[in-house]
Amino acid sequence: MNLRYAPHSFIFLFFSFQLVFSQLPTNQINTMRRVYDMLQNNTHSSFAWNGIDKTSTPCSWRGISCNSDNSSITKVSFPSFSISSSEFLPVICQISTLESLDVSQNHLSSIPNEFITSCGGISGLKLLNFSGNKLHGILPSFTGFGKLESLDFSQNNLFGKVDLQLSGLNSLKSLNLGYNVFNGSVPTSLGKFNLLEELQLSANFFEGEFPIQIANFGNLTLIDLSLNGLSGVIPDRLGELSKLQVLILSSNKLSGTIPQSLMNIKTLTRFAANLNGFVGSIPIGLTNNLRNLDLSFNDLNGTIPQDLLSPLNLQFVDLTSNNLEGPVPASMSVNLIRLRLGQNALSGSFPSASFGSLQSLTYLELDNNNLSGPIPAELGKCQKLALLNLAQNKLSGPIPVQLADISNLQVLSLQFNNLVGEIPSNISQLNRLQKLNISGNSLTGSIPSSLSSLINLTNLNLQGNKLSGGIPIDIKNLYQLLELQLGGNQLGGPIPEMPLSLQIALNLSHNHFQGPIPATLSRLTSLEVLDLSYNRFSGEIPDFLTRMGGLTILVLSNNQLSGVFPSFGSFVSVDARGNRDLIFPSPVAPPQAAKKGRKSVVVAVVCSVCFGIMASICIQYFVLKHLYRTEFCWLTDDRLHKSRIKQSKAMAAICRPVNIMQSNELYTYYKVMMPCGVYYCIKKITRRNKSSILHSLERFEQGLVSIGHLSNYTMAPLAYVVESDTTYIFYEYPQHGTLFDLLHGRSDDNVLDWKSRFAIAVGICRGLDILHGGSLFSDPIVLFRVSTSSIFMEHLDQPLIGDIELGRAFSSSQFAIAVGYVPPEYAYVMRVTEAGNMYSFGVIMLELLTGKPAISEGTELAKWIIQHEDLGEVLDSRVSGNSVQVHQQMLLLLEIALQCVSVSPSERPDAKELLETLLSLGQQFGI
């Protein structure tokens, strides 16, 4: 019997052996359990392995990959795990079978030396990815990483020179150090075997001439050296890189000509060298193999080679802003998607026949040239065209009706040409059109009523033509319109209701409108610029114009207005010259002046007012001009922010009270929209009294730089401007405003839930723990102001502490603590303290729990709560009523909040102690 079942027993034993053999080694299991505990303690509510049993096999955990029989860990991938502590890194290196480690997009600030020494001994390690963290310092030397093939440290804050740190990486194939602060020359000591295939060093401060040694890396497929300070010429030897596919040299200081040798690289599909100083002509045959060519913003001259646009593989060509002349090449690839030839000196007429076959063309820009002749009707066949910009040429003839066939068109710019005829009525077919500009031509006829059906239109500019008739009555249906420019025509008749969305400008100047200024304009409460000049408006200036909160410029000059000139706010610039019956009120006159005739008084007043207006304009001009010339000090290396933030726009916006987010005796916050449509937040700190005196500019700057490294917990500054008595600090705009807005500015339909409120309390406490602990600075940071108005909300559960720089850079003899948050001891202890900050935080917790502001029913919230015998009654019933469990959790947190607002500072918990308590409660609550 035993022999009979022996084969089955053997098979069972075999598979049992396989199962045992296939399990992870005990040391790897124990290592991963240690990592489990470290990440859990570090990330808490953001812990990536929540719900995963620590005793289960690590091969099943998120981010852990094992070999085919689960006998060893090969890959550890922790992208976006919210990790801020690097203590787990040396532990990971105990996994001797590790081939790949990815800790990208976290909050790591340093790499332990033990990690380099430990992981350097792993013979099979091929990939390291630390991109998108907050690493600071110099690049470590990689000793022992003999098999490493891919190294990525991009998007960090690493600095210094890159010299021999990477020279021992003999197997390196991919290196990415982009978006750091490295300087010096481009590194070329990258392993003795020159195996490199991808070299990405963009957005640093590398300088010096283009390194000819790069040509020694014969396997290179990608070179990206953009956004640096490289100078000199592109070496001809670059043409020896027979495998090169992508070459990006944009935004440097390179000069000379484009080398003909690049044509030798048959594999090259993308070449971008825009924003340099290249001269000479474009080489013939350059695009034979290219799919994407960008040589914009250089000093190239000569004609465009006739074969440049013809290769079938070509899809993107950008030659904007050079000195190119001659005609647009007639032969074009049918696969062209984007063609940008604007801001050159091109001449001649359109190659009409070519455009009829460009079915893939999406963007066509030929603006600011000397092109002549009619707009080709064949453009109507370019069905995918989304942007057509032919502005500032010498084009003539009518606007082709065939343009209305371009169903995907979103932007149509034909301004400043010599176009004649009427606006085609079938333009209403362009139902995706957002911007229409046909100003500065000689168009006649009336404004087609069909324009009112373009419901996606945001900008409409018809000024500087010869249009007549009235404004279509249905124009109010353009409910997304932000700007309407109708000046410089021959329009008349009644002014219909305008779209309520108008914000940028309404320009009706230089037309034939008459009668009283219509009251319907009062509905445009967001309008910034209103120009009614050079018409025949009569009657008095209506008072509603003084109440239009968004208005900054009002032009009423050269009309027939009369009556007394009303009083406008100081932020509104008003030009009412050329209205001879308009009476400007004078200040109280001395007795002898009252005896003079009315005419002389009026003349004197008008002269005085005109002089005042001119003086105000001159003062504003010189002040703003001075501001624009003031050094703009960047604290971020993010090129996206640098391209978006326009100082002139920002400085103009802070003069408008409508942009104020909040204001107090120390500072004012402004919400400012940049021309790109992105909002930013600007803090204006005025130092005009003894309550706010800058210690030193150097300390102020150092403080702002250091605060930037706490971007996960604070309002991190992007840039600043210092004037004699004013400081301006720029921040990203918090999408959800302040915590005050979330708690007290919302309707009952949008109540913050309990999970979010608890997460907000934990987030603020975590920030206070870091600030009070002195881990970033040499000494703790104590805040002048801790209130729901100084807590900004990037997300609904992610608070950012604001106003940190006030405590580090300014002295104060008068406390600026918000009412309702002032600790009792501040009546006799004339300095801010950590215990005082904890009192203010206690009040914030009370607001989170009750839903009431810091001053409730005429008394401080802490005192108001103590008056209630049943503390359950004070809880926000919109939240506590959801479940008995939530109600009990809120009561427990209420007891902690009341301890924070104890009269005695010694009875209040410190931030570190409180954070540990909150994190422990969070685990108990399961949130």
Side-chain angles (χ1 to χ4, degrees), residues 670-689:
Y670 296 86
K671 177 183 178 181
V672 175
M673 186 176 74
M674 293 299 160
C676 62
V678 176
Y679 283 98
Y680 284 86
C681 182
I682 302 177
K683 178 195 285 186
K684 177 183 177 182
I685 304 174
T686 303
R687 309 183 302 277
R688 292 178 179 170
N689 52 53

Side-chain angles (χ1 to χ4, degrees), residues 812-826:
S812 176
S813 60
Q814 301 174 6
F815 290 105
I817 301 170
V819 177
Y821 301 89
V822 183
E825 68 271 20
Y826 279 18

Side-chain angles (χ1 to χ4, degrees), residues 557-623:
S557 58
N558 295 285
N559 279 285
Q560 299 172 6
L561 299 170
S562 58
V564 178
F565 182 82
S567 176
F568 286 87
S570 59
F571 55 88
V572 183
S573 173
V574 183
D575 185 353
R577 293 169 296 178
N579 292 278
R580 61 181 182 179
D581 294 326
L582 199 59
I583 301 173
F584 293 90
S586 62
V588 177
Q592 62 269 25
K595 299 179 181 180
K596 297 184 178 180
R598 178 180 180 276
K599 182 175 180 180
S600 60
V601 171
V602 172
V603 170
V605 169
V606 169
C607 291
S608 175
V609 170
C610 289
F611 175 81
I613 292 174
M614 291 303 295
S616 175
I617 292 173
C618 290
I619 291 172
Q620 186 177 28
Y621 170 80
F622 285 112
V623 168

